[in-house]
C-alpha cells in the first residue's frame, strides 16, 4: 500500500469510527425507549429499588385475524342490550352476556395459540375450596386453550388432584402460612409480581388472579381478554360512588376522595397481559408497604390499592358482575348468567383470626 493510500485509509477509519459509535448510541437510546413503551417498563417503586422486566411483543393484542370460513350472526349498531351500559366513559368494553359472539372470538384467538396463567391462593383452611374451584375451572375457564394454574399454598398435600385436559396444567407453589388473613390476602400482590418475573415472562401471554373460595358456573373465555382487566364488584354497582368502600384516609396511598371513582372493582378477580398485571402488582405491593411503614392498612387491603390503581390506570376491559357474583345475593335481572361466584362461607371457621 502506498503512503497516500495508507493516509486515506487511516483518515477514513478516523471519520467512520466515531460516526458508527454515535449511530450505535443513538440506536440503543431509541431501542430502550421503544422497548419500555411497547414491551414493559423499568418499574421504580417508591423505595428506590428497581426491577426490570422484559416482555415479548404481543401480536394478537394488536391484530385480530378472523377465519374466512366462519359464518355468524350479523352484528348491529342499533339493536342490542339496552338494560345495561356496555362501554365505559373511556371507551373500554363492559362485558355482559349478549354483547359478544363467543365462537367468533374463539376463532380469532385459537390460531394465535395464546396461553393463560391463573393464580389462586389457598392458605390455611382455604384449601377446602380448591377442589370445586379447580374442577369447575376445567369445565368453564378458557376451555380448549392453554391454561396453567398456579396454586399458592402452605399445605401442598391438600391440593386436590384434578384430571386436566391436554394443554392444561397445574403447579403448586409452597408459601408460608400466616396468623392474619389480612396479610395472606395482601401478600398476594408480591407473590404475583415474583411469579411473573421468575416464571411467566416470555412464556405466557395473559394472567388472571382469582379468589379460591369461588366456583365457575358458566363460560369465562376469550371475551375477557384485554391489556388490563377489572371485574365490577357485585355489591356496589348500583350505588353512588360516595358509598364505595374505598380507602378514605388521605394518609394512605390507596386514598380515593369522596367525589372520585368510576366503579368499585373486586380484589377477587383481575387480570390482563403479563406486563400490565406486573405493573399493577408491583405498584400495589409498593404502596401497601409504604402504608405499612406508616402503620396504615387500607380498608380492604389489596382490593383498596387495586381500586386506587384502576382509578388512575383505567382498565381496557371491564367485566360485568357476571364474572364475580356472590352466592348469598339474589340475582338481579340484568345479570342473565352467573359465570363465577364466591361461595357462602363462615369466616369464623376458616380464617386464622377475626
Ligand atoms: C374480599 C375480596 C378479596 C380480598 C378481600 C380483602 C372479592 C370477591 N373478594 O373477599 O379478593 O380483596 O376482600 O382482603 O372481591 N386467603 C387464604 N387464606 C386465608 C385468607 C384468605 O388463602 O386464611 C386467600 C383466598 O384465596 C381468598 C382470598 O385470600 O379467596 C381473599 O380472602 P377472603 O375470601 O377471605 O376475603 P373476602 O371474602 O373478604
Amino acid at each position: 500500500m502506498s503512503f497516500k493510500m495508507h493516509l486515506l485509509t487511516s483518515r477514513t477509519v478516523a471519520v467512520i469510527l466515531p460516526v458508527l459509535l454515535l449511530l450505535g448510541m443513538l440506536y440503543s437510546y431509541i431501542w430502550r425507549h421503544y422497548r419500555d413503551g411497547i414491551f414493559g417498563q423499568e418499574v421504580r417503586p417508591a423505595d428506590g429499588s428497581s426491577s426490570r422486566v422484559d416482555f415479548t411483543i404481543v401480536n394478537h393484542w394488536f391484530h385480530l385475524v378472523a377465519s374466512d370460513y366462519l359464518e355468524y350472526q350479523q352484528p348491529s349498531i342499533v339493536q342490542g342490550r339496552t338494560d345495561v351500559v356496555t362501554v365505559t366513559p373511556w371507551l373500554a368494553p363492559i362485558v355482559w352476556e349478549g354483547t359478544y359472539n363467543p365462537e367468533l372470538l374463539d376463532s380469532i384467538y385459537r390460531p394465535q395459540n395464546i396461553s393463560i396463567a391463573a393464580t389462586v391462593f389457598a392458605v390455611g383452611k382455604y384449601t377446602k375450596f380448591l377442589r370445586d374451584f379447580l374442577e369447575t375451572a376445567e369445565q368453564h375457564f378458557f376451555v380448549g386453550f392453554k391454561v396453567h394454574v398456579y396454586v399458592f399454598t402452605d399445605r401442598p398435600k391438600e391440593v386436590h388432584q384434578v384430571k386436566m385436559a391436554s394443554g392444561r396444567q397445574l403447579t403448586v407453589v409452597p408459601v408460608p402460612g400466616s396468623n392474619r388473613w389480612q396479610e395472606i390476602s395482601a401478600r398476594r400482590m408480591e407473590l404475583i409480581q415474583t411469579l411473573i418475573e421468575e416464571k411467566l415472562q416470555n412464556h405466557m401471554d395473559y394472567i388472571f388472579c382469582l379468589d379460591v373460595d369461588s366456583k365457575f358456573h358458566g363460560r369465562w373465555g376469550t371475551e375477557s381478554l384485554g391489556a388490563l382487566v377489572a371485574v365490577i364488584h357485585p355489591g356496589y354497582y348500583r350505588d353512588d360512588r360516595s358509598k364505595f368502600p374505598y380507602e378514605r384516609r388521605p394518609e394512605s396511598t390507596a386514598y380515593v376522595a369522596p367525589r372520585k371513582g368510576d366503579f368499585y372493582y373486586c380484589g377477587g378477580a383481575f387480570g390482563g397481559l403479563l406486563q400490565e398485571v406486573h405493573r399493577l402488582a408491583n405498584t400495589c405491593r409498593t404502596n401497601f408497604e409504604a402504608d405499612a411503614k406508616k402503620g396504615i392498612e387500607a380498608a380492604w387491603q389489596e382490593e383498596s390499592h387495586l381500586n386506587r390503581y384502576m382509578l388512575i390506570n383505567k382498565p381496557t376491559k371491564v367485566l360485568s358482575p357476571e364474572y364475580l357474583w356472590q352466592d348469598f345475593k339474589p340475582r338481579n335481572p340484568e345479570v342473565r348468567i352467573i359465570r363465577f361466584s364466591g361461595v357462602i362461607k363462615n369466616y369464623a371457621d376458616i380464617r386464622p383470626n377475626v
Side-chain angles (χ1 to χ4, degrees):
M1 197 190 287
S2 71
F3 177 69
K4 251 186 176 174
M5 276 286 284
H6 184 76
L7 200 65
L8 202 66
T9 317
S10 354
R11 274 197 190 143
T12 314
V13 169
V15 172
I16 287 178
L17 260 184
V19 170
L20 281 178
L21 202 68
L22 262 173
L23 280 175
M25 282 162 67
L26 195 66
Y27 172 78
S28 112
Y29 176 80
I30 292 171
W31 167 241
R32 212 173 55 230
H33 279 254
Y34 175 74
R35 188 179 59 174
D36 284 353
I38 303 289
F39 297 138
Q41 207 172 34
E42 184 166 19
V43 187
R44 285 194 185 281
D47 63 3
S49 64
S50 109
S51 69
R52 174 172 287 284
V53 271
D54 291 315
F55 297 94
T56 46
I57 195 154
V58 189
N59 285 319
H60 46 81
W61 177 244
F62 300 110
H63 195 172
L64 304 181
V65 181
S67 155
D68 201 10
Y69 303 104
L70 187 75
E71 288 190 3
Y72 54 90
Q73 201 188 347
Q74 179 187 352
S76 169
I77 59 160
V78 284
Q79 278 177 339
R81 286 194 67 165
T82 52
D83 57 337
V84 288
V85 173
T86 59
V87 67
T88 67
W90 58 96
L91 297 180
I94 305 177
V95 183
W96 293 92
E97 174 70 358
T99 59
Y100 63 91
N101 182 327
E103 288 81 35
L104 173 59
L105 277 164
D106 285 355
S107 82
I108 291 170
Y109 285 100
R110 193 161 286 122
Q112 304 279 2
N113 201 22
I114 56 164
S115 50
I116 301 110
T119 60
V120 65
F121 288 74
V123 178
K125 293 185 184 165
Y126 277 59
T127 47
K128 76 175 200 162
F129 300 113
L130 267 175
R131 183 190 187 127
D132 281 349
F133 176 92
L134 294 171
E135 284 184 353
T136 58
E138 268 305 284
Q139 292 157 18
H140 301 292
F141 185 71
F142 284 96
V143 175
F145 286 84
K146 253 199 247 166
V147 170
H148 196 147
V149 180
Y150 289 87
V151 176
F152 291 78
T153 184
D154 57 338
R155 302 181 182 186
K157 287 193 187 127
E158 292 178 20
V159 177
H160 179 70
Q161 294 299 313
V162 186
K163 197 170 164 351
M164 298 181 95
S166 119
R168 300 169 73 93
Q169 57 178 316
L170 185 148
T171 298
V172 176
V173 185
V175 291
S178 171
N179 297 328
R180 291 186 69 239
W181 67 266
Q182 294 91 335
E183 188 190 306
I184 298 168
S185 190
R187 212 173 47 197
R188 290 185 290 178
M189 289 296 184
E190 181 189 347
L191 293 164
I192 290 164
Q193 180 192 344
T194 310
L195 178 78
I196 296 175
E197 287 169 9
E198 293 180 358
K199 297 256 166 28
L200 305 186
Q201 63 168 318
N202 301 329
H203 296 292
M204 304 298 280
D205 298 310
Y206 295 93
I207 179 168
F208 283 94
C209 310
L210 305 167
D211 267 9
V212 72
D213 52 316
S214 333
K215 279 192 223 176
F216 293 87
H217 309 275
R219 175 194 161 99
W220 180 322
T222 48
E223 73 284 356
S224 67
L225 295 177
L228 182 62
V229 183
V231 181
I232 294 188
H233 198 294
Y236 307 94
Y237 70 95
R238 288 167 166 219
D239 292 343
D240 187 88
R241 59 186 168 185
S242 60
K243 298 214 177 74
F244 292 170
Y246 289 138
E247 171 54 54
R248 299 299 191 182
R249 290 167 291 178
E251 313 85 81
S252 168
T253 54
Y255 171 68
V256 178
R259 282 187 294 168
K260 290 204 174 155
D262 301 312
F263 310 108
Y264 189 76
Y265 303 112
C266 292
F270 58 91
L273 288 172
L274 287 190
Q275 57 265 53
E276 287 298 323
V277 176
H278 180 269
R279 202 190 302 246
L280 159 85
N282 188 21
T283 308
C284 290
R285 189 211 60 161
T286 307
N287 289 345
F288 192 90
E289 286 168 4
D291 274 13
K293 279 190 191 143
K294 290 192 272 175
I296 301 170
E297 184 172 83
W300 286 99
Q301 295 79 35
E302 86 301 346
E303 184 174 89
S304 305
H305 288 279
L306 175 133
N307 269 280
R308 167 72 205 175
Y309 183 88
M310 298 272 191
L311 176 61
I312 307 300
N313 306 271
K314 303 292 192 207
T316 61
K317 189 163 276 183
V318 174
L319 306 181
S320 69
E322 294 168 5
Y323 288 81
L324 188 36
W325 198 250
Q326 285 165 323
D327 285 353
F328 65 80
K329 273 175 77 70
R331 178 141 64 96
N332 292 336
E334 64 274 12
V335 178
R336 293 186 185 167
I337 172 175
I338 293 172
R339 302 169 188 283
F340 185 60
S341 72
V343 301
I344 296 171
K345 59 187 195 266
N346 181 350
Y347 287 107
D349 271 357
I350 50 167
R351 280 181 168 170
N353 60 314
V354 281

